[in-house]
Amino acid sequence: GENVEQHPSTLSVQEGDSAVIKCTYSDSASNYFPWYKQELGKGPQLIIDIRSNVGEKKDQRIAVTLNKTAKHFSLHITETQPEDSAVYFCAASPSYNFNKFYFGSGTKLNVKP
Amino acid sequence: NAGVTQTPKFQVLKTGQSMTLQCAQDMNHEYMSWYRQDPGMGLRLIHYSVGAGITDQGEVPNGYNVSRSTTEDFPLRLLSAAPSQTSVYFCASRPTGNTEAFFGQGTRLTVV
């Protein structure tokens, strides 16, 4: 099955700085890559996603890049704010079973005011 | 819409006890799933359903049963709880043809 690795496990940045979280996947059949944000005591919430036919996608301060050849994708947050502090998860879903999501182990982002 | 509602929020069980974690959604989503979240391991898929009467196994199905008699409800049953099942459990749903999954707030289960 799919194996998704996520780094770093914790990330601390100063407010206004950028944050980058990286994930790699193993199954070349994976073609959908969402990113979820989980705030304390809440369930994960989708913040951005990308499909394998696109190399980059941006939504305001958040962007995701995908390198299919290297099997890695990254989340970029610019101009970080204290409310960005949360745990972020990447995931991959294979084309042969779109009902299955494989999650990374999570990155705890701390934005210091 | 309430979205995805999980009950209870917290539960302590003794080893060998059984219980059912409840999940309900009011968005008429066909797809529902259960995940467990353990420290340092992200979320792992336990079981999922693509519609009433249809269920399938995920990555870690052992020790758990599910059924889907209605579109709205997808309960997760622990037949004989073990300490290894101590975890936070999340239920999620999404509509057919859409990739965004909506998660409940989770149930924190401790088995002693």
Side-chain angles (χ1 to χ4, degrees):
Chain A
E2 174 68 278
N3 181 43
V4 178
E5 296 191 354
Q6 182 172 348
H7 300 282
S9 56
T10 59
L11 180 59
S12 189
V13 300
Q14 206 68 36
E15 181 178 359
D17 287 350
S18 295
V20 180
I21 302 171
K22 298 182 178 182
C23 288
T24 60
Y25 61 100
S26 61
D27 191 344
S28 56
S30 289
N31 64 353
Y32 174 66
F33 307 93
W35 285 89
Y36 284 83
K37 175 183 181 181
Q38 186 178 26
E39 297 176 340
L40 197 61
K42 297 184 178 180
Q45 185 172 13
L46 180 72
I47 55 172
I48 195 167
D49 57 11
I50 192 167
R51 295 184 182 275
S52 59
N53 58 347
V54 175
E56 183 175 357
K57 184 177 178 180
K58 190 173 182 180
D59 183 3
Q60 299 183 357
R61 296 186 296 108
I62 295 174
V64 57
T65 58
L66 171 66
N67 183 326
K68 283 193 301 181
T69 303
K71 295 196 184 72
H72 68 72
F73 56 113
S74 301
L75 178 71
H76 304 254
I77 306 175
T78 59
E79 300 172 19
T80 54
Q81 301 166 4
E83 51 266 38
D84 294 329
S85 295
V87 178
Y88 292 82
F89 291 96
C90 63
S93 183
S95 56
Y96 53 80
N97 192 336
F98 195 59
N99 293 310
K100 292 189 174 182
F101 283 13
Y102 296 87
F103 283 81
S105 53
T107 296
K108 185 174 183 180
L109 174 64
N110 179 36
V111 180
K112 296 178 286 187
Chain B
N1 285 352
V4 180
T5 303
Q6 290 183 238
T7 55
K9 287 187 169 50
F10 302 93
Q11 182 71 50
V12 179
L13 285 180
K14 293 183 179 178
T15 297
Q17 285 185 319
S18 63
M19 81 157 295
T20 299
L21 307 186
Q22 301 291 346
C23 177
Q25 52 93 7
D26 60 358
M27 298 174 283
N28 202 31
H29 289 173
E30 290 295 320
Y31 175 85
M32 296 185 73
S33 56
W34 277 101
Y35 290 85
R36 59 178 289 172
Q37 183 177 34
D38 300 298
M41 298 188 71
L43 291 90
R44 291 181 293 169
L45 182 64
I46 304 172
H47 285 287
Y48 66 95
S49 169
V50 298
I54 306 169
T55 63
D56 204 349
Q57 296 181 348
E59 286 181 87
V60 288
N62 293 340
Y64 307 95
N65 276 1
V66 292
S67 60
R68 183 98 179 268
S69 56
T70 67
T71 299
E72 294 78 20
D73 300 299
F74 191 42
L76 179 72
R77 298 183 187 84
L78 283 70
L79 301 178
S80 178
S84 61
Q85 294 178 304
T86 294
S87 188
V88 180
Y89 291 84
F90 287 99
C91 178
S93 75
R94 66 174 173 80
T96 305
N98 194 326
T99 50
E100 180 175 1
F102 296 84
F103 284 82
Q105 293 206 324
T107 294
R108 182 174 294 275
L109 175 67
T110 302
V111 182
V112 298

